[in-house]
Amino acid sequence: MTNRFLLSSFPLATLAVAAASNAFAVEYLTVEAAQRLMFPSASNFILERPKITLEQLRAIDASTHATSQARQFLLFRAEADQRSLGRVYVDEVIGKSELITYAVAITSDGAVKQVEILAYRESHGYEVRDPRWRAQFIGKRAASPLALNDDIANISGATLSSRHVTDGVRRIVAIDAWLRNEKT
Amino acid sequence: MRDAMPQAPPDLMPDLVRRSQPWLGTFVEITVRHRDIDLAHRAIAAGFAAIAHVHRAMSPQIARSDVDRINRAPVDVAVRVCEATWNVLRIADDLHVRSDGLFDCAVDTCGAPSSQRDLDLSREGEVIKRSPLAIDLGGIAKGYAVDVALRAVRDAGAAGACVNAGGDIAVFGDESYRIEVRDPFEPGTRHPLVELDAFAVATSSIEECDALHCGMHARHVDRAAFDRGATICVIAPQCVYADALTKVVALRGAAAHPLLAPLLAYYRASAIVLDSNHA
């Protein structure tokens, strides 16, 4: 029950559908694929409801200078033989004008193991409304298997976006540390 | 919903595995063509590991990185660096000499102009500062990282691959890749740049060169020669040279393009500037 609540309160589930109709989105990995890459020996990934209140989230946001306003995230515990290997967090940030979904793997001792971008999509922007800009994608996959620079297109903008992901990772690490302290 | 997307016939669809991770202050994207998805993921992991190594060795923000230790070291004291940093410094040295000092990874400190020629590289794997300077490899390390990542992906058995670090791109494989650049002034238009086949391309906007903390003496960017927002593309056999030469072109200006010709020719590179006059 708690799982369902968390999923429905988080936009990820709906975004996967929206992105499919969105030609200028890049989807790198599903959540499941990222989990398997991050903890290959895990047999289970258990969706957990983080035992953290909105106030505690706000306090962590303030201490890590995050401007996320207590943003929700998904948390999975990676398990093998009922032993915890670590956690996978799935979070989203707004880049420059695009929405970036990413996953962070953190080991049981709190070290960042891996960061993967799951999806990168332009959420708005003037180009999107320009039919000529949209037209460039028609037949793209057939004509050129790799039309480069489409996807992470705004080259100089990517620098800012990647900083937002880095800030997001820092916030997740702080949240993870808090959750681990609570347990002990 | 997926049916609405343009689809190629199944036999034309390449097996592509594409992943992205944040490194080097940008998103690094690695795409691998292969029939074996596990091998593709292993190759991509090898590529990202190579990128991560360059990031950790050359980020000035990471405490105890090679660049951080060089920057903190006193004058005349040798600093041992890893092979990757050593390679980049040697390439930077070569570029510095051949560009008449235009390419310079030294950062001006305390208002005093400094130059990378005060880096003593006479002993293999060791850097000795002969004046109190600091360096930033931001103008060259990304291109180098792309090269080593591509090599790692290839060595891991991929059939073809593309590494893209925020516009610094290198490819290998049987297929050629069409690289297009988005018009900086008219985002609805893209210009075909090159059919890339085992070559590399780097793109920098003038603003990016201006903002770089790479010691490229950003104040010298020839603003009169470029429109704000102009994009510079350099194509070269290796991404490290493509990356570095975009900055040299930015410093020299489009009007002075002929002056750059011998330098570009030496590195078998060509430069394209997209400004508002390009049409």
Side-chain angles (χ1 to χ4, degrees):
Chain A
M1 287 298 240
T2 53
N3 290 359
R4 197 181 307 152
F5 166 78
L6 186 59
L7 275 171
S8 60
S9 69
F10 198 77
L12 271 176
T14 51
L15 283 171
V17 179
S21 63
N22 211 344
F24 35 85
V26 199
E27 291 196 67
Y28 294 103
L29 294 169
T30 61
V31 171
E32 293 74 24
Q35 288 171 342
R36 282 197 305 274
L37 286 168
M38 291 169 148
F39 290 101
S41 57
S43 48
N44 273 320
F45 291 93
I46 297 149
L47 181 64
E48 287 193 334
R49 179 144 192 217
K51 294 181 182 61
I52 188 163
T53 65
L54 216 56
E55 288 67 38
Q56 286 154 348
L57 264 185
R58 286 205 184 99
I60 289 172
D61 286 354
S63 69
T64 57
H65 308 291
T67 50
S68 58
Q69 293 155 338
R71 189 179 61 235
Q72 273 289 7
F73 53 88
L74 290 182
L75 163 56
F76 299 89
R77 190 158 41 83
E79 265 192 8
D81 306 325
Q82 265 126 48
R83 196 168 48 88
S84 177
L85 303 176
R87 288 172 165 146
V88 177
Y89 292 82
V90 179
D91 186 27
E92 286 179 327
V93 289
I94 303 285
K96 200 174 173 192
S97 64
E98 64 287 320
L99 197 58
I100 300 159
T101 310
Y102 67 99
V104 188
I106 301 186
T107 59
S108 5
D109 52 2
V112 174
K113 190 172 188 278
Q114 200 168 333
V115 180
E116 290 279 346
I117 308 298
L118 304 187
Y120 183 104
R121 55 187 81 79
E122 303 242 2
S123 54
H124 58 84
Y126 55 98
E127 300 110 325
V128 177
R129 291 191 294 275
D130 180 346
R132 285 175 306 168
W133 193 84
R134 287 199 302 261
Q136 71 190 358
F137 294 99
I138 295 168
K140 164 189 160 189
R141 299 175 77 174
S144 52
L146 273 180
L148 299 162
N149 282 4
D150 282 347
D151 305 318
I152 296 185
N154 193 340
I155 290 162
S156 49
T159 309
L160 180 68
S161 308
S162 69
R163 198 178 309 144
H164 290 173
V165 172
T166 315
D167 291 346
V169 171
R170 192 170 347 110
R171 171 177 175 264
I172 291 293
V173 169
I175 291 169
D176 185 72
W178 195 91
L179 290 172
R180 276 181 302 111
N181 278 340
E182 278 305 285
K183 266 195 177 161
T184 52
Chain B
M1 288 281 232
R2 276 191 189 280
D3 294 343
M5 287 183 72
Q7 295 283 338
D11 58 330
L12 289 180
M13 290 288 283
D15 277 350
L16 292 182
V17 182
R18 192 191 308 191
R19 276 163 58 189
S20 171
Q21 294 185 0
W23 292 110
L24 307 161
T26 187
F27 293 110
V28 179
E29 189 184 68
I30 302 183
T31 310
V32 164
R33 283 181 49 246
H34 212 280
R35 298 279 159 209
D36 177 348
I37 190 160
D38 291 333
L39 189 147
H41 278 299
R42 280 200 302 277
I44 290 174
F48 281 130
I51 298 262
H53 176 73
V54 172
H55 178 99
R56 292 188 186 112
M58 293 175 227
S59 169
Q61 279 89 38
I62 294 179
R64 308 295 300 156
S65 73
D66 284 353
V67 169
D68 179 57
R69 288 185 302 114
I70 291 169
N71 289 348
R72 288 170 190 279
V75 172
D76 294 333
V77 171
V79 177
R80 275 217 79 79
V81 296
C82 72
E83 191 186 346
T85 307
W86 177 251
N87 289 342
V88 169
L89 287 170
R90 290 301 301 269
I91 293 167
D93 189 48
D94 186 55
L95 281 156
H96 179 78
V97 172
R98 291 189 191 280
S99 68
D100 249 345
L102 210 53
F103 183 91
D104 199 325
C105 62
V107 183
D108 292 352
T109 45
C110 313
S114 55
S115 165
Q116 73 169 59
R117 71 172 173 267
D118 291 342
L119 288 179
D120 183 343
L121 304 175
S122 53
R123 269 168 46 198
E124 176 90 20
E126 281 186 6
V127 182
I128 303 170
K129 295 196 295 194
R130 296 300 181 196
S131 72
L133 63 95
I135 60 165
D136 191 319
L137 300 174
I140 184 170
K142 210 159 55 152
Y144 180 81
V146 167
D147 288 331
V148 292
L150 195 76
R151 211 173 307 138
V153 170
R154 195 185 54 205
D155 291 349
C162 170
V163 179
N164 180 356
D168 289 346
I169 301 165
V171 303
F172 87 92
D174 296 336
E175 298 207 3
S176 63
Y177 302 97
R178 201 172 86 204
I179 308 284
E180 296 177 328
V181 181
R182 191 188 287 194
D183 192 314
F185 299 94
E186 203 182 337
T189 311
R190 294 189 314 169
H191 301 281
L193 180 64
V194 65
E195 290 272 337
L196 212 57
D197 178 8
F199 254 62
V201 61
T203 48
S204 290
S205 67
I206 287 296
E207 284 165 1
E208 198 183 336
C209 293
D210 231 7
L212 262 182
H213 308 292
C214 64
M216 290 297 293
H217 304 288
R219 62 183 181 278
H220 293 153
V221 166
D222 190 350
R223 293 190 155 279
F226 294 109
D227 298 316
R228 197 164 170 72
T231 297
I232 297 157
C233 306
V234 172
I235 300 150
Q238 284 176 289
C239 203
V240 63
Y241 295 108
D243 188 12
L245 290 169
T246 57
K247 283 77 186 183
V248 177
V249 173
L251 295 172
R252 256 290 167 249
H257 236 164
L259 298 177
L260 289 171
L263 184 69
L264 291 168
Y266 177 80
Y267 291 111
R268 294 197 290 139
S270 47
I272 295 155
V273 177
L274 288 179
D275 59 18
S276 61
N277 302 316
H278 64 269

